[in-house]
């Protein structure tokens, strides 16, 4: 099974700050890594798929990168509405064909 | 624009079963991997299982095999997740999500609003 880890588990930043979150896979997953935003009491929302492709309608201040085992998610200029928990996720299309989420990174306003 | 609308909150006794529905409005489930993801209070997201249309089969996370059944009624554009032998640690919000699969890529682009299942004696 492929395991996903994220760091940090939480962070505090100010409006306008550049925020970076990392996600690491336990084995090479090429660029098959996705990022979600979840605000309190709401369903997750897809932001980035295949490591760096921005989902339609998602602001360009969000970006992703990386390949293999190491990935990054960046908010170029933190906005108040970006306060949320961010999850990375991978789909393994080999048996048993599972989706795996990272443990999440909570982003708070300083 | 497809929306996934889930059934309402449930309160259950330990040892009982629960069945949660997820109806697609404005579209269908055809050719999409419908999955269920749960989130215990204050915890992260946990994939439970889902239909993988590419392989015409339903897959479950090992943790839920034998206790969870996921079915899709294409005629009603509705997916169901049934969990048996409920325990207090099954208390969580349960989400359905539409999975988009293309080759090795797989992600959830549309989510239901979530259904709170509370298990308490």
């Amino acid at each position: 099974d492929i395991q996903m880890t994220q760091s940090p588990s939480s962070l505090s930043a100010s409006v306008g700050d550049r925020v970076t979150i990392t996600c690491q896979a336990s084995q090479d997953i090429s660029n098959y890594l996705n990022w979600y935003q979840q605000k309190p009491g709401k369903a997750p929302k897809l932001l980035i798929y295949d490591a760096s492709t921005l989902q339609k309608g998602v602001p360009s201040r969000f970006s992703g990168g990386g390949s293999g085992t190491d990935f990054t998610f960046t908010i170029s200029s933190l906005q108040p509405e970006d306060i949320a928990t961010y999850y990375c996720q991978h789909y393994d299309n080999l048996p048993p064909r599972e989706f795996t989420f990272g443990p999440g990174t909570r982003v708070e306003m300083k | 624009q497809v929306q996934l609308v889930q059934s309402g909150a449930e309160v259950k006794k330990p040892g009982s079963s629960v069945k949660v529905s997820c109806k697609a409005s404005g579209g269908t489930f055809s050719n999409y991997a419908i999955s269920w993801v749960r989130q215990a209070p204050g915890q992260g997201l946990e994939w439970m299982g889902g239909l993988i249309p590419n392989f015409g089969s339903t897959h479950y996370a090992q943790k839920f095999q034998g206790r969870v059944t996921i079915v899709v009624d294409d005629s009603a554009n509705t997916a169901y997740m049934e969990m048996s032998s409920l325990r207090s640690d099954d208390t969580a919000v349960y989400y359905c999500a539409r999975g988009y699969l293309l080759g090795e890529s797989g992600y959830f682009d549309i989510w239901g609003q979530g259904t709170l299942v509370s298990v308490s004696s």
Side-chain angles (χ1 to χ4, degrees), chain B residues 11-88:
Chain B
V11 179
K12 294 292 182 180
K13 300 285 189 187
S16 67
S17 298
V18 69
K19 190 171 186 177
V20 182
S21 67
C22 169
K23 183 174 176 61
S25 64
T28 70
F29 287 135
S30 296
N31 300 317
Y32 288 99
I34 299 302
S35 278
W36 290 85
V37 176
R38 80 174 185 182
Q39 186 169 40
Q43 303 301 307
L45 302 171
E46 182 176 33
W47 180 76
M48 301 174 65
L51 176 69
I52 309 294
N54 313 49
F55 302 97
S57 57
T58 306
H59 297 249
Y60 299 94
Q62 187 172 7
K63 175 178 181 178
F64 297 104
Q65 281 182 1
R67 205 161 68 93
V68 170
T69 302
I70 294 169
V71 297
V72 176
D73 181 346
D74 284 325
S75 65
N77 286 331
T78 301
Y80 301 91
M81 185 283 297
E82 184 169 22
M83 178 181 281
S84 61
S85 303
L86 289 169
R87 307 184 290 256
S88 58

Side-chain angles (χ1 to χ4, degrees), chain A residues 59-71:
Chain A
S60 58
R61 64 179 180 274
F62 297 102
S63 64
S67 66
T69 60
D70 297 301
F71 301 86

Side-chain angles (χ1 to χ4, degrees), chain A residues 32 34 36 46 49-50 89-94 96-100, chain B residues 29-35 47 50-59 97-110:
Chain A
Y32 301 116
N34 313 303
Y36 299 83
L46 176 69
Y49 62 94
D50 296 345
Q89 171 260 315
H90 169 68
Y91 167 64
D92 186 354
N93 77 332
L94 297 177
R97 298 191 178 91
E98 296 185 334
F99 293 83
T100 304
Chain B
F29 287 135
S30 296
N31 300 317
Y32 288 99
I34 299 302
S35 278
W47 180 76
L51 176 69
I52 309 294
N54 313 49
F55 302 97
S57 57
T58 306
H59 297 249
R98 188 179 84 166
Y100 182 81
L101 304 183
L102 183 63
E104 296 178 65
S105 176
Y107 51 85
F108 300 115
D109 61 348
I110 298 175

Side-chain angles (χ1 to χ4, degrees), chain A residues 68-89:
Chain A
T69 60
D70 297 301
F71 301 86
T72 58
F73 170 82
T74 300
I75 307 172
S76 61
S77 178
L78 187 69
Q79 301 301 303
E81 60 266 32
D82 300 336
I83 299 309
T85 300
Y86 294 85
Y87 295 91
C88 61
Q89 171 260 315

